Amino acid sequence: MKVSRVAAAGLLAAASLYSMLPAAGSPAPAAGSSSPDRPLRELAGRQLMIGTAVDHAAYTADATYRDRIRTEFNSITAENVMKWEVVEPERGKLDFSAADELMAAAKRNGQQVRGHTLVWHNQLPAWLTQGVESGEIDATELRSILRGHIIDEVSHFRGRIYQWDVANEVVDDNGQLRDSIWLRELGPGYIADAFRWAHQADPRAKLFLNDYNVEGISAKSDAYHALAKDLLRQRVPVHGFGAQGHYGVQYGFHSASEVAANLGRFEQLGLETAITEVDVRMIMPTDNVKLQAQAQGYSVLLQGCLLARRCNSFTVWGFTDKYSWVPGWFEGEGAANLLDENFAPKPAYRELQAVLTLSH
Ligand code: XIL
């Protein structure tokens, strides 16, 4: 493992050279002696968990989608079905059925599972947000509801989740704690509480802070560094820092070495790191230049992870443009994934193969 991390330093130049070679749409040459169609999980070997978010509805309906998840990835994240609005749509009625189906599939496929997510400002059940808004749920009750939610959910999956995104997107882009019902009602201590409750329910799971716009060094990632340091000083069981990796080709990317340096400073605090939700969107329609830029976006994140010493999982937020959250959330944008709508590899997929091959 250490050896391959060191070898990874040498791949930076090679991989960026490689990325200049194939024009999008043309068959990419295999890197080294690898076949161009060796699946990512095979190329990743034992050095890295390589994951995807899974859309439960697509998983149920589409055999090609199911197959590809099985062959390409050794880790999965539920894209939505572990979120609070799905697991407790009515107060007190827990429903883990969809999540359990994905857990069972992961077991059959020899895949590990990242848990996503326990405390977040989005995708909360209406009974909760409306109850707080109307004043029916006061701060004391809200705290006990959050505690119950975390303990119930983490206990349900105890021993079967290797990394939990405990606190998701709790810092805003200016580096302040995000204004949310949690911060407003409970104060900043809710973050430490969430980690403590999760740890109590599953002492073996690695517990993560997770956010977007924290891949490089910025006011936001600085704020996370300070937050992580503060939590660790209070002996809060936080074990990892996850950078989501939602990029857009029109904004440019960090360099791999900046990503590695940023992850490295969290590792110096004693944390593991992960890249948790990679997609690289573009303004539609696609063209070869954008697709090539997209490959570079995926590449710097994977290389950054490989160059860091304790970045142990790299997860894409969906792998085919057939099922992607991007067009529904970013008007006029799309094509953010590794495979196109017909599951054909895009340059980004070839790039990840090449980087993984070179990293051995
Ligand atoms: C997104 C899902 O992909 C969508 O299907 C859903 O409608 C909204 O949430 N950051 C996160 C993820 O942590 O949970 C989000 O997932 C994408 C942004």
Side-chain angles (χ1 to χ4, degrees):
M1 178 106 137
K2 287 276 166 50
V3 174
S4 66
R5 294 298 156 124
V6 174
L11 74 81
L12 278 174
S16 43
L17 219 191
Y18 171 87
S19 70
M20 294 167 70
L21 296 176
S26 67
S33 58
S34 78
S35 138
D37 287 317
R38 274 180 74 192
L40 301 177
R41 72 182 282 176
E42 204 181 302
L43 293 170
R46 287 168 52 186
Q47 64 175 335
L48 183 71
M49 303 310 297
I50 183 118
T52 184
V54 176
D55 174 338
H56 178 263
Y59 194 87
T60 309
D62 186 335
T64 310
Y65 180 77
R66 276 200 295 280
D67 244 41
R68 217 51 200 247
I69 290 168
R70 178 174 53 80
T71 54
E72 294 286 349
F73 301 99
N74 56 19
S75 170
I76 63 164
T77 306
E79 185 170 351
N80 288 301
V81 297
M82 289 188 188
K83 292 174 180 173
W84 201 336
E85 69 173 4
V86 177
V87 300
E88 197 181 3
E90 275 180 69
R91 187 167 180 184
K93 291 201 178 144
L94 296 179
D95 180 3
F96 293 113
S97 55
D100 286 342
E101 283 173 29
L102 296 186
M103 293 297 301
K107 192 171 181 197
R108 283 197 303 276
N109 297 338
Q111 292 161 326
Q112 299 207 49
V113 181
R114 294 195 86 255
H116 179 80
T117 181
L118 298 171
V119 63
W120 193 26
H121 61 284
N122 274 335
Q123 293 182 279
L124 294 169
W127 61 262
L128 178 66
T129 49
Q130 285 165 10
V132 172
E133 207 172 304
S134 70
E136 222 172 286
I137 298 175
D138 67 10
T140 311
E141 190 178 0
L142 186 64
R143 185 164 185 273
S144 98
I145 290 173
L146 180 61
R147 178 176 182 278
H149 165 66
I150 292 178
I151 302 235
D152 286 347
E153 176 147 5
V154 177
S155 304
H156 181 82
F157 298 110
R158 185 187 353 249
R160 297 181 292 154
I161 298 277
Y162 74 112
Q163 298 179 339
W164 260 115
D165 291 331
V166 173
N168 197 35
E169 302 178 351
V170 298
V171 170
D172 67 23
D173 280 342
N174 300 320
Q176 304 300 315
L177 286 183
R178 178 186 290 277
D179 179 30
S180 68
I181 61 166
W182 307 117
L183 185 65
R184 278 197 299 277
E185 301 290 317
L186 308 181
Y190 82 90
I191 299 172
D193 285 340
F195 279 94
R196 291 193 175 110
W197 292 326
H199 186 62
Q200 186 185 324
D202 187 348
R204 282 191 304 164
K206 301 292 188 190
L207 306 182
F208 275 65
L209 291 160
N210 189 53
D211 214 323
Y212 60 89
N213 285 353
V214 292
E215 296 72 27
I217 294 182
S218 64
K220 190 170 182 178
S221 62
D222 286 352
Y224 267 102
H225 193 259
L227 174 62
K229 206 166 160 181
D230 188 48
L231 291 169
L232 289 166
R233 193 183 44 76
Q234 297 173 63
R235 301 185 164 274
V236 174
V238 49
H239 310 120
F241 176 70
Q244 294 179 0
H246 294 292
Y247 272 168
V249 297
Q250 65 275 33
Y251 306 120
F253 317 118
H254 305 98
S255 65
S257 53
E258 183 176 344
V259 174
N262 184 46
L263 298 179
R265 65 183 178 147
F266 286 89
E267 294 171 1
Q268 271 169 8
L269 297 176
L271 299 180
E272 301 181 3
T273 57
I275 305 284
T276 56
E277 306 184 13
V278 186
D279 52 20
V280 184
R281 60 188 188 269
M282 59 188 70
I283 294 167
M284 299 298 277
T286 68
D287 62 34
N288 284 348
V289 173
K290 292 181 208 171
L291 290 170
Q292 201 56 54
Q294 174 178 60
Q296 192 60 26
Y298 275 91
S299 192
V300 295
L301 291 173
L302 179 57
Q303 291 178 51
C305 180
L306 289 168
L307 288 167
R309 291 189 51 232
R310 299 189 67 201
C311 179
N312 50 28
S313 74
F314 178 91
T315 296
V316 293
W317 206 242
F319 62 94
T320 164
D321 295 337
K322 188 170 179 185
Y323 306 107
S324 165
W325 73 303
V326 169
W329 284 77
F330 302 92
E331 213 193 320
E333 297 182 54
N337 303 105
L338 297 172
L339 309 181
D340 72 13
E341 294 182 351
N342 301 311
F343 297 94
K346 292 156 67 180
Y349 175 80
R350 300 297 182 204
E351 178 70 18
L352 293 193
Q353 285 184 311
V355 172
L356 289 172
T357 303
L358 288 165
S359 70
H360 285 290

